[in-house]
Amino acid sequence: MTAVASAERLAGAGDRRVRPGAALAWTFLALVAVAALWPSLLAGHEPNAVDPAHALAGPGAGHPFGTDQLGRDVLSRIVYGTRASVTIGLGATAFAVVAGSVLSTLAALGGRAADELVMRTTDVFLAFPGLLLAMLVVAVLGGSTLNATLAIGMSSAPGFARLIRGQMLVIRESDYVQAARALGRRPLDVHLRHTLPNALPPVLVLATVQVGAAIIGGSSLSFLGLGPKPPTAEWGAMLAEGRSFLAADWAVAVFPGLALTATVVACNVAGRGLQRRFEGRRHVVR
């Protein structure tokens, strides 16, 4: 074995080491997944059970995170609210990746005119702040989990379209794509079999980070009253309700904010870790 090969193997082994921060992030995301799929395993109370006699009770034995202004258990509402927040984050990101793939495909196969039309359209949408565009969509469609997901996804799709198109421009000039064209393959077959599959892996890695941004966007809409309707538990809505009672009980707003922050940070750390692992690697589908 040559010295260069030995060095590459050692570098690859170093890249595969699990960093403590990444391990903690993935562990926390696993806990978030359990809360979203099986909230009853982690919550000790019904999220909408009202108990006015114990309203705004601070953290204690019966209610580790305290209760809100209606006496509802804050911890249980955070756990049950995970599903709405994660649904918006994952759904919006999936919608953005699919829409970006479709737009970039139209730009790649439609010739120069189609490429210019798609890219200039994405430029127009990128000129608007994402949250403002999402607010406009929700104002038209109405507030709900589905509409918030569509709104955040639509505001994120132009960025993914440009990113996927950039990957395609590089892959189109690769040897195996040129060979497929020389063999007489149809442009659509070449695109679907070679160009698009090889453009998506790095995009999907970055999509992990986008999930955190989408969760923030969905919580922002809920904070403004444009997300899921009450009494549905959702972190942004809990923050909006709790801000009026901070003087009486700090926990009612602090703990939902911590849950939101920890989830977004975990998504970012996990995404950056995946990005480091995929850097310099070629995922060629031939």
Side-chain angles (χ1 to χ4, degrees):
M1 182 182 296
T2 65
V4 174
S6 300
E8 289 179 350
R9 173 168 291 188
L10 289 175
D15 289 340
R16 288 193 292 269
R17 289 182 302 176
V18 179
R19 293 176 171 83
L24 183 61
W26 283 109
T27 301
F28 183 81
L29 290 178
L31 183 64
V32 169
V34 172
L37 296 174
W38 304 284
S40 59
L41 296 178
L42 303 177
H45 302 270
E46 288 295 324
N48 298 322
V50 176
D51 186 8
H54 296 89
L56 297 177
H63 303 281
F65 287 3
T67 60
D68 64 7
Q69 70 278 8
L70 299 177
R72 298 173 296 189
D73 184 64
V74 173
L75 175 59
S76 297
R77 287 184 62 76
I78 290 175
V79 172
Y80 276 88
T82 304
R83 177 174 297 177
S85 297
V86 171
T87 297
I88 292 174
L90 292 177
T93 303
F95 178 88
V97 171
V98 172
S101 300
V102 172
L103 290 174
S104 58
T105 297
L106 293 176
L109 299 180
R112 185 176 182 84
D115 181 66
E116 286 293 326
L117 176 62
V118 171
M119 290 301 102
R120 299 295 77 79
T121 303
T122 58
D123 288 341
V124 172
F125 280 96
L126 288 173
F128 291 91
L131 182 59
L132 180 61
L133 183 60
M135 289 173 59
L136 177 62
V137 174
V138 173
V140 174
L141 299 179
S144 68
T145 300
L146 176 59
N147 292 342
T149 301
L150 292 176
I152 299 298
M154 290 175 64
S155 65
S156 305
F160 277 99
R162 294 194 66 87
L163 180 60
I164 296 172
R165 173 183 176 271
Q167 294 289 328
M168 287 179 176
L169 291 178
V170 176
I171 294 170
R172 277 195 315 194
E173 304 303 321
S174 59
D175 293 338
Y176 60 91
V177 172
Q178 296 295 337
R181 291 175 178 171
L183 291 174
R185 295 281 182 85
R186 293 183 302 173
L188 181 60
D189 292 339
V190 174
H191 179 81
L192 295 179
R193 183 177 176 83
H194 300 288
T195 308
L196 183 60
N198 286 291
L200 286 180
V203 174
L204 295 178
V205 171
L206 295 178
T208 307
V209 178
Q210 178 60 29
V211 171
I215 290 175
I216 291 179
S219 296
S220 300
L221 292 177
S222 297
F223 186 86
L224 297 173
L226 299 175
K229 296 299 183 182
T232 302
E234 199 278 335
W235 294 341
M238 293 178 67
L239 282 171
E241 294 174 355
R243 62 178 173 169
S244 302
F245 303 96
L246 282 173
D249 183 13
W250 57 270
V252 70
V254 169
F255 284 118
L258 289 176
L260 174 61
T261 301
T263 302
V264 173
V265 170
C267 289
N268 289 340
V269 172
R272 298 302 180 189
L274 289 175
Q275 186 178 8
R276 283 193 296 268
R277 283 178 174 269
F278 278 83
E279 278 180 351
R281 300 184 183 183
R282 292 183 180 273
H283 301 268
V284 178
V285 179
R286 299 182 179 179

